[in-house]
């Protein structure tokens, strides 16, 4: 039920960023992603619905071909199976929730 970020380790992602799974059940997962300036979350899709919060920094976010620039405090939702990705315009962090959980992250 409870999770402390200090107890969670960062893992390198295949695209050169980092992530740490903060908490999850079979139905829901919360994951923090860290990006250096210029870091890219490559375009991809998955069956999970994703809601993301820009915790820090500024990101160019692409969802289904639409591009928006989001700042700290902004958020976005990616419906199931839509192609999406991000580019960090400055160093920053995203906090993503997935439903159901991403088995490939645990």
């Amino acid at each position: 039920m409870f999770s402390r970020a200090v107890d969670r380790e960062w893992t390198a992602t295949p695209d050169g960023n980092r992530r740490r799974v903060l908490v999850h059940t079979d139905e829901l997962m919360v994951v923090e992603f860290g990006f250096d300036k210029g870091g890219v979350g490559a375009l991809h899709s998955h069956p999970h619905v994703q809601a993301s919060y820009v915790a820090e920094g500024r990101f160019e976010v692409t969802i289904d071909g639409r591009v928006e620039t989001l700042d700290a405090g902004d958020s976005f939702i990616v419906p199931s199976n839509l192609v999406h990705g991000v580019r960090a315009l400055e160093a920053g962090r995203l906090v993503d929730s997935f439903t159901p959980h991403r088995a490939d992250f645990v």
Side-chain angles (χ1 to χ4, degrees):
M1 266 183 137
F2 299 98
S3 176
R4 299 191 188 282
V6 297
D7 296 332
R8 301 297 179 167
E9 293 186 25
W10 289 98
T11 302
T13 62
D15 48 16
N17 303 298
R18 58 201 172 281
R19 74 171 171 246
R20 62 180 170 178
V21 174
L22 298 175
V23 66
H24 73 91
T25 66
D26 288 344
E27 297 83 23
L28 181 65
M29 172 180 269
V30 178
V31 181
E32 181 178 18
F33 288 86
F35 294 82
D36 294 328
K37 181 178 181 178
V40 173
L43 290 173
H44 66 286
S45 66
H46 45 72
H48 315 83
V49 175
Q50 174 181 332
S52 300
Y53 173 74
V54 181
E56 180 181 291
R58 189 167 197 221
F59 290 84
E60 182 179 84
V61 180
T62 302
I63 303 171
D64 197 31
R66 181 176 171 185
V67 180
E68 296 279 338
T69 299
L70 299 180
D71 298 303
D74 295 339
S75 55
F76 59 95
I77 290 181
V78 182
S80 180
N81 295 312
L82 286 189
V83 174
H84 60 285
V86 301
R87 182 169 61 93
L89 302 176
E90 55 190 54
R93 293 179 300 115
L94 297 175
V95 178
D96 295 354
S97 59
F98 300 95
T99 183
H101 83 284
R102 295 278 309 255
D104 56 326
F105 285 2
V106 292

